């Protein structure tokens, strides 16, 4: 390490830890002059004047030369003679004076958080009076300059500490400094500010008054302009109540639940979330204005521009600059760095009852520096993102803003258009449905209606009914009033994989989707992408594990998808539903001969899980079947209805089953696939039979029979004979029913199909019971049950037990009938066959009443009435008559 020099105290030189012997005082002062001008030539006369002034030696130049010669070997650095003077060849940073000045310059250029260290280092270099012991005019002048610089550095350190919130520690030091410099008004201002920020407002204001009186008495003058301005600012700040809320929305309806949640929030953080255009800002501003009286110390507001396409999200440091200014912080007192501003903000609002509205936030990091802390302020954040991190770390309460309910949407349109314009109630409801209850979309429709008072609402409905042009019709001419533009701001903030899945969800035909189907749609694991879309409020999770979005978001997403990626995704997801549905169907009707699928999925899970899956996916599967039929996916168009058939029958959705089978038959005919045509005609005929149209059912089943014979499928032929027997029985032709049943039974026995043999025996038993041949009915029903001991088919057993119950009732053994009906009802309930359970529960009630068990009978009838009513069947009225007796 080279030689280091000090002049801020005694004049010294050190080599490592060794203090060098610099000789007598005047020789040291020669070195000090050269150190002040380190690296520069100092004229001989200037050195002589500085060291000796008027007390010069007899031959000053020779004496100076001697001193320089003695210093050279001691210092270990060059002192060169040049151009009539001397130059000390050492780096400025080796001299404490130059290091002091460099550190102060550095501190002035750095942000406050970084400046505190260099200014502390600079002040730490001082060890006493500069050039200790030197008294010539040159040294006196240099010393005075350095003392002023030292004082300025102390002031700088204090300013930095005040801006960084270090006021409490500064107060004692400032009081001592003011006592030493009672007329220094900048120092007085620092003390005034430190006292105020330390919560000693009265003391600060009293100190200012004392200073003003003293200055008037001693100097006949008032405090300087800056000090007077600071005093005035403190007076204003002490009473400042910022009112920054923008105007509330002129038209506002509903949101009672969300407003109640906000009312319950006394302090802390509330995050108001929802998709673009749903009215988050309108809700927050309406509530904030209505509850402004609860925040007597003021309301702060900022648009954080989290989803603004014309500018990046607002920086927290800039927002804090505005907040602090509104809270009375002078620009020159404003900290430079984010942490210091955030600390000062928390300090300024501490203990105050204030509302802080952070609108349109992008993420948690943007919000956190703006949180006041403490338990007296309430922060309401609105965002299209869920900001779950605030819920976790800051215990924020989430409020999700939904679409407007129908009555709320009508109220909004009434406010905008008036009641007379809404006379066409059907058109009003269509508008609400087509806009998905999105407030922005409804507002655009209202604006268009106001611009064209002669347009009937039906004309606006017609514009929106065109799916491809719907978003164009919901564009009011500027980005903030365009559903497409507002949605795009959220879309373009998504990651590329999440944006792709969002597009594909737009082409998905169903109203909702689960994780597995979404993964099939995307061709990759979708769970993390669904989480991202849900956080961004472009997707909802209305029930655990199922995801959906409103129709306008789907329309936007669909427009963004390319035809090729849409087609590939649809093929993947249709395959998923077909194969998963096929595996589930095997649990529902294992006796039904399976169709052939490419790479069929093995059956897994249980009957109950299969029913649960079909129940959740019913609407999706229907939409997929419809899309397959419309778009020419003919294999899916006939196989998806086959997969759905048993579930739709047992759950009572007979119209849906028949409609899907009509489309399936049409697809099979287009394919020219005779096996597929036989399967679809069989199911269509059975569907028409259930609905009561036996002539049509018999025609379709007869054609199915011919098709099964053409493709040499004896089991299919047998099931069709069985189905024809049922249709003829329902039409009252018992002879034809028994003949088709006999042929079905022969085919099943010939093929060794014991399950369908049992079904045929069970059906024959029912026909004979209806014809009054009770012994034969019992024989056939019991034979069916014996076959089922090996097959274990609950569907067939349930029908056999019901037949036996009917027979025993006819024989007069009502107690035995009760037992059979109870077992049959239990089985139908397990199978989810609502209609058969309802019929059996009705008969069970009759049997229970006959044995005097009135309470149990009424319970059975209530169950029957509930199921019939749920299926919207007329039988419910007949059961109600029994309950009324």
């Amino acid at each position: 390490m080279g030689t280091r020099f000090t002049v801020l105290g005694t004049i010294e030189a050190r080599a490592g830890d060794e203090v060098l012997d610099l000789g007598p005082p005047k020789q040291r002062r020669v070195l000090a002059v050269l150190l002040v001008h380190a690296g520069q030539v100092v004229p001989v006369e200037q050195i002589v004047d500085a060291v000796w002034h008027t007390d010069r030696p007899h031959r000053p130049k020779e004496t100076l030369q001697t001193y320089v010669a003695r210093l050279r070997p001691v210092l270990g650095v060059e002192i060169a003679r040049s151009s009539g003077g001397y130059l000390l060849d050492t780096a400025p940073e080796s001299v404490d004076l130059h290091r002091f000045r460099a550190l102060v310059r550095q501190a002035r250029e750095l942000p406050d958080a970084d400046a505190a260290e260099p200014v502390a280092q600079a002040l730490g270099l001082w060890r006493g009076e500069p050039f200790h012991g030197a008294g010539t005019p040159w040294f006196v002048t240099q010393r005075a300059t350095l003392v002023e610089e030292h004082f300025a550095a102390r002031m700088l350190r204090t300013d930095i500490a005040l801006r960084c919130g270090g006021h409490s520690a500064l107060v004692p030091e400032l009081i001592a400094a003011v006592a030493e410099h009672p007329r220094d008004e900048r120092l007085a201002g620092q003390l005034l500010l430190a006292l105020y920020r330390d919560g000693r407002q009265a003391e600060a204001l009293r100190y200012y008054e004392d200073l003003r009186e003293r200055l008037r008495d001693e100097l006949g003058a008032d405090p300087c302009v800056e000090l007077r301005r600071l005093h005035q600012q403190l007076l204003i700040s002490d009473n400042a109540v910022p009112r920054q809320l923008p105007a509330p929305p002129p038209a506002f309806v509903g949101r009672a639940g969300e407003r109640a949640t906000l009312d319950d929030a006394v302090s802390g953080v509330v995050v108001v979330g929802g998709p673009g255009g749903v009215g988050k800002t309108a809700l927050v501003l309406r509530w904030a204005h209505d509850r402004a009286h609860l925040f007597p110390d003021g309301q702060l507001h900022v648009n954080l521009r989290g989803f603004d396409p014309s500018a990046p999200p607002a920086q927290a440091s800039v927002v804090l600059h505005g907040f602090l200014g509104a809270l009375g912080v002078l620009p020159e007192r404003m900290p430079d760095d984010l942490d210091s501003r955030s600390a000062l903000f928390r300090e300024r609002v501490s203990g105050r009852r204030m509302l802080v509205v952070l609108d349109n936030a992008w993420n948690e990091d943007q919000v956190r520096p703006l949180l006041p802390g403490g338990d007296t302020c309430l922060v309401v954040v609105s965002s299209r993102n869920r900001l779950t991190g605030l819920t976790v770390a800051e215990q924020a309460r989430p409020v999700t803003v939904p679409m407007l309910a129908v009555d709320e949407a009508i109220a909004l349109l009434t406010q905008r258009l008036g009641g007379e314009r809404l006379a066409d109630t059907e058109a009003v409801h269509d508008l609400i449905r087509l806009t998905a209850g999105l407030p922005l979309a409804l507002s655009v429709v209202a604006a268009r209606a106001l611009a064209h008072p002669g347009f009937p609402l039906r004309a606006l409905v017609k514009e929106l009914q065109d799916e491809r042009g719907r978003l164009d019709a919901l564009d009011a001419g500027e980005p903030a009033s365009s559903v497409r533009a507002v949605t795009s701001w959220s879309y373009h903030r998504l990651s590329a994989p999440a944006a792709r899945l969002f597009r594909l969800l737009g082409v998905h035909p169903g109203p909702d989707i689960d994780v597995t189907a979404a993964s099939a749609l995307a061709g990759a694991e979708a769970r993390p992408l669904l989480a991202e879309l849900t956080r961004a409020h472009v997707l909802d999770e209305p029930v655990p594990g199922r995801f959906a979005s409103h129709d306008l978001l789907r329309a936007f997403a669909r427009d963004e998808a390319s035809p090729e990626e849409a087609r590939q995704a649809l093929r993947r997801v249709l395959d998923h539903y077909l194969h998963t549905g096929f595996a589930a169907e095997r649990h529902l009707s294992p006796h039904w001969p399976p169709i052939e699928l490419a790479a069929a999925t093995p059956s897994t899970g249980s009957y109950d899980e299969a029913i649960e899956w079909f129940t959740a996916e019913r609407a999706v599967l229907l939409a997929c079947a419809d899309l397959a039929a419309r778009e020419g996916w003919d294999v899916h168009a006939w196989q998806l209805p086959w997969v759905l058939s048993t579930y739709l029958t047992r759950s009572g959705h007979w119209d849906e089953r028949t409609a899907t089978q009509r489309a399936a038959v049409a697809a099979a005919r287009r394919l020219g696939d005779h096996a597929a045509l036989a399967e679809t005609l069989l199911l269509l005929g059975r569907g028409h039979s259930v609905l009561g149209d036996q002539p049509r059912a018999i025609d379709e089943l007869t054609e199915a029979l011919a098709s099964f014979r053409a493709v040499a499928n004896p089991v299919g032929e047998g099931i069709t004979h069985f189905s024809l027997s049922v249709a003829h029985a329902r039409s009252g032709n018992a002879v034809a029913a028994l003949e088709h049943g006999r042929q079905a039974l022969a085919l099943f026995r010939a093929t060794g199909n014991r399950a369908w043999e049992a079904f045929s025996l069970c059906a024959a038993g029912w026909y004979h019971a209806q014809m009054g041949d009770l012994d034969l009915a019992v024989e056939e029903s019991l034979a069916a049950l014996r076959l089922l001991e090996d097959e274990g088919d609950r569907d067939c057993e349930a029908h056999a037990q019901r037949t036996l119950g009917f027979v025993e009732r006819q024989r007069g053994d009502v107690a035995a009938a009760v037992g059979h009906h109870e077992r049959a009802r239990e089985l139908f309930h397990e199978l989810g066959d609502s209609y058969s359970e309802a019929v059996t529960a009705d008969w069970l009630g009759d049997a229970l009443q006959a044995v005097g068990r009135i309470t149990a009978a009424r319970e059975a009838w209530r169950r029957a009435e509930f199921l019939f009513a749920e299926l919207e069947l007329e039988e419910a009225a007949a059961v109600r008559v029994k309950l009324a007796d």
Side-chain angles (χ1 to χ4, degrees):
M1 182 180 292
T3 306
R4 292 177 292 113
F5 304 95
T6 62
V7 296
L8 300 178
T10 56
I11 302 168
E12 291 183 356
R14 290 176 179 267
D17 294 332
E18 179 186 359
V19 178
L20 304 180
D21 183 3
L22 299 179
K26 287 187 170 52
Q27 185 171 300
R28 290 171 177 266
R29 292 166 193 165
V30 168
L31 174 61
V33 175
L34 294 174
L35 289 171
V36 170
H37 301 285
Q40 302 176 26
V41 176
V42 186
V44 170
E45 184 56 34
Q46 182 178 340
I47 299 172
V48 170
D49 182 66
V51 174
W52 286 283
H53 193 48
T54 57
D55 189 22
R56 299 185 177 204
H58 178 64
R59 304 178 72 176
K61 292 182 180 181
E62 286 81 354
T63 304
L64 174 60
Q65 186 176 3
T66 301
Y67 286 167
V68 170
R70 291 175 182 171
L71 287 169
R72 282 182 178 130
V74 174
L75 299 179
V77 296
E78 178 66 21
I79 302 178
R81 176 66 187 249
S82 175
S83 304
Y86 291 95
L87 180 146
L88 178 63
D89 188 12
T90 188
E93 58 267 22
S94 67
V95 185
D96 61 354
L97 180 151
H98 299 301
R99 286 206 308 281
F100 165 76
R101 287 173 171 166
L103 286 166
V104 171
R105 284 195 302 271
Q106 180 184 358
R108 294 186 188 281
E109 295 169 359
L110 289 172
D112 287 341
D114 301 322
E117 179 61 24
V119 77
Q121 290 179 17
L123 292 171
L125 295 172
W126 285 66
R127 296 172 298 104
E129 179 186 68
F131 314 112
H132 181 73
T136 63
W138 186 88
F139 279 107
V140 170
T141 301
Q142 292 293 322
R143 183 180 296 117
T145 301
L146 283 169
V147 168
E148 288 294 325
E149 291 181 29
H150 179 259
F151 186 73
R154 288 174 57 194
M155 300 286 280
L156 174 62
R157 181 193 63 181
T158 302
D159 285 339
I160 292 170
L162 283 171
R163 290 195 292 265
C164 292
H167 43 267
S168 296
L170 288 171
V171 170
E173 177 184 334
L174 286 170
I175 290 175
V178 165
E180 185 180 352
H181 304 279
R183 295 188 180 86
D184 191 293
E185 293 179 79
R186 186 180 172 199
L187 188 60
Q190 290 180 331
L191 176 58
L192 190 63
L193 195 58
L195 287 169
Y196 183 85
R197 290 183 178 174
D198 197 37
R200 299 157 67 172
Q201 291 91 338
E203 188 175 347
L205 297 175
R206 186 168 57 251
Y207 168 74
Y208 175 83
E209 294 299 330
D210 292 344
L211 175 65
R212 182 170 60 178
E213 290 183 11
R214 186 169 66 253
L215 291 175
R216 283 178 176 174
D217 292 342
E218 296 177 2
L219 303 176
D222 285 326
C224 66
V225 172
E226 183 182 4
L227 196 57
R228 293 201 306 272
R229 186 186 300 120
L230 175 59
H231 172 248
Q232 187 63 30
Q233 191 66 51
L234 294 183
L235 288 173
I236 295 172
S237 298
D238 204 33
N239 299 285
V241 180
R243 306 287 188 190
Q244 293 188 340
L245 292 176
F252 185 84
V253 297
R255 309 305 193 195
E258 293 73 31
R259 296 175 78 177
T261 301
L262 287 166
D263 284 342
D264 290 341
V266 177
S267 62
V269 183
V270 177
V271 177
V272 178
V278 80
K280 301 180 294 296
T281 298
L283 165 64
V284 171
L285 290 180
R286 181 67 275 167
W287 177 85
H289 277 277
D290 291 345
R291 300 293 183 266
H293 62 280
L294 299 177
F295 305 97
D297 295 323
Q299 304 92 39
L300 297 168
H301 175 277
V302 66
N303 178 5
L304 293 175
R305 300 195 311 272
F307 295 86
D308 189 333
S310 62
Q315 296 296 311
S317 181
V318 176
V319 174
L320 285 168
H321 188 284
F323 280 179
L324 290 171
L327 293 168
V329 176
L330 293 170
E332 57 268 27
R333 305 291 181 182
M334 193 72 66
D336 292 328
D337 63 287
L338 174 61
D339 289 344
S340 299
R341 288 184 180 181
S342 184
L344 182 56
F345 174 64
R346 291 192 296 273
E347 174 193 326
R348 296 308 294 265
V349 300
S350 177
R352 301 178 73 172
R353 188 77 181 96
M354 297 186 70
L355 173 65
V356 181
V357 176
L358 307 177
D359 192 23
N360 201 17
W362 166 235
N363 60 18
E364 292 89 340
D365 289 341
Q366 186 188 31
V367 169
R368 283 196 174 99
L370 310 177
L371 300 180
D375 58 359
T376 59
C377 293
L378 175 64
V379 180
V380 179
V381 186
S382 74
S383 178
R384 298 189 195 182
N385 287 329
R386 291 191 182 274
L387 306 185
T388 308
L390 294 182
T391 305
V392 174
E394 278 71 33
Q395 299 182 22
R397 280 157 285 193
V399 176
T400 300
V401 182
M403 304 295 146
L404 290 174
V406 172
D407 58 337
E408 293 175 330
I410 292 173
L412 180 63
L413 290 174
T414 303
Q415 285 189 15
R416 298 294 305 276
L417 302 177
E420 293 182 5
R421 194 74 184 276
L422 305 183
D424 186 348
T425 56
E426 184 179 352
V428 171
H429 281 83
D430 284 342
L431 285 175
I432 295 168
R433 174 178 56 82
L434 292 168
T435 57
L438 185 71
L440 173 60
L442 287 167
S443 296
V444 173
V445 168
R448 183 154 172 72
L450 289 170
H452 301 280
F455 282 16
L457 291 186
R458 180 56 55 188
L460 301 179
V461 170
K462 188 175 181 180
E463 289 181 343
L464 295 177
Q465 284 174 331
D466 177 11
E467 289 189 3
R468 296 186 180 277
R470 184 175 302 168
L471 293 180
D472 294 330
L474 294 174
D475 187 342
E478 62 174 4
S481 300
S482 165
V483 173
R484 187 192 302 277
V486 168
T487 303
S488 73
W489 302 343
S490 295
Y491 170 69
H492 291 299
R493 294 282 191 181
L494 298 171
S495 68
R500 175 178 175 271
L501 178 58
F502 177 62
R503 294 195 299 272
L504 299 182
L505 289 171
V507 303
H508 177 256
D512 60 3
I513 194 168
D514 70 359
V515 176
T516 307
S519 297
L521 188 73
E525 173 58 43
R527 192 178 301 274
L529 303 180
L530 291 169
E532 180 180 346
L533 295 175
T534 304
R535 287 195 299 271
H537 277 294
V538 295
L539 201 64
D540 290 325
E541 191 175 5
V543 295
R546 298 199 69 83
F547 301 86
S549 58
H550 65 72
D551 287 347
L552 297 180
L553 280 171
R554 288 166 56 84
F556 174 88
R558 191 163 50 247
D559 286 352
E560 293 294 317
S562 71
E564 184 57 30
E565 76 172 345
R567 188 166 184 81
Q568 291 178 4
L570 282 173
R571 177 177 288 280
R572 289 192 298 269
V573 81
L574 288 178
D575 283 346
H576 160 77
Y577 285 123
L578 178 59
H579 289 85
T580 308
F582 178 84
E585 191 276 341
R586 294 290 76 203
H587 287 291
L588 270 59
S589 53
H591 56 273
W592 197 275
I595 58 175
E596 292 186 8
L597 299 184
T601 304
S603 177
T604 59
S606 66
Y607 186 98
D608 290 343
E609 288 171 334
I611 286 288
E612 183 180 349
W613 185 84
F614 273 117
T615 302
E617 300 291 356
R618 172 180 141 249
V620 176
L621 291 167
L622 290 170
C624 285
D626 179 65
L627 178 138
R630 285 187 289 105
E631 299 296 327
W633 304 76
D634 284 334
V635 173
H636 292 88
W638 81 263
Q639 290 184 343
L640 280 168
W642 186 95
V643 162
L644 268 165
S645 177
T646 301
Y647 171 76
L648 293 177
T649 298
R650 291 187 184 165
S651 59
H653 299 291
W654 303 325
D655 288 332
E656 290 176 357
R657 170 186 160 150
T658 304
T660 57
Q661 290 303 328
R662 287 195 196 100
V665 169
R669 292 192 193 280
R670 286 193 297 271
L671 288 168
D673 185 333
H674 294 291
L677 183 60
E679 296 283 357
T680 55
L681 283 168
L682 169 59
L683 293 177
L684 179 59
R686 288 170 65 92
H688 280 132
S689 180
V690 170
L691 290 173
D693 191 348
Q694 305 311 326
R696 180 179 292 185
I698 291 170
D699 288 344
E700 290 159 347
L701 290 170
T702 301
E703 184 181 355
L705 189 62
S707 297
F708 277 121
R709 285 172 179 163
V711 296
N713 184 340
V715 174
E717 196 178 336
I719 295 173
T720 308
H721 274 299
F722 175 89
S723 303
L724 278 164
S725 75
V726 173
H728 282 294
R730 286 171 174 163
S731 64
N733 189 342
V735 174
L738 283 171
E739 175 58 24
H740 281 290
R742 183 188 62 76
Q743 294 186 59
L745 185 59
L747 284 166
F748 294 139
R749 283 174 173 168
T751 57
N753 193 316
R754 293 170 63 83
W756 275 102
E757 182 183 351
F759 268 105
S760 295
L761 285 169
C762 182
W766 175 250
Y767 301 149
H768 284 113
Q770 296 294 304
M771 295 169 65
D773 193 343
L774 302 182
D775 291 339
L776 186 55
V778 170
E779 180 183 336
E780 289 167 333
S781 297
L782 291 175
L785 289 176
R786 284 193 296 273
L787 283 171
L788 292 173
E789 289 177 0
D790 296 329
E791 297 300 315
D793 192 297
R794 290 182 292 174
D795 190 13
C796 185
E797 182 188 350
H799 284 89
Q801 291 285 1
R802 188 170 67 175
T803 297
L804 288 169
F806 177 82
V807 170
E808 295 298 346
R809 179 76 191 279
Q810 297 300 310
R811 284 178 162 179
D813 190 348
V814 184
V818 167
H820 290 300
H821 284 324
E822 284 181 334
R823 175 59 179 161
R825 190 200 64 79
E826 177 186 333
L827 288 168
F828 283 129
H829 178 73
E830 291 175 359
L831 291 166
D833 189 338
S834 299
Y835 177 72
S836 296
E837 182 188 352
V839 171
T840 307
D842 186 16
W843 291 359
L844 174 61
D846 294 344
L848 287 166
Q849 184 189 46
V851 297
R853 295 171 59 185
I854 304 303
T855 301
R858 296 184 67 81
E859 288 180 2
W861 284 332
R862 275 194 290 269
R863 177 63 180 170
E865 189 275 335
F866 169 79
L867 291 171
F868 282 136
E870 196 172 52
L871 294 170
E872 299 180 356
L873 295 175
E874 295 178 357
E875 286 94 325
V879 180
R880 290 190 193 106
V881 172
K882 297 177 184 180
L883 287 167
D885 290 342

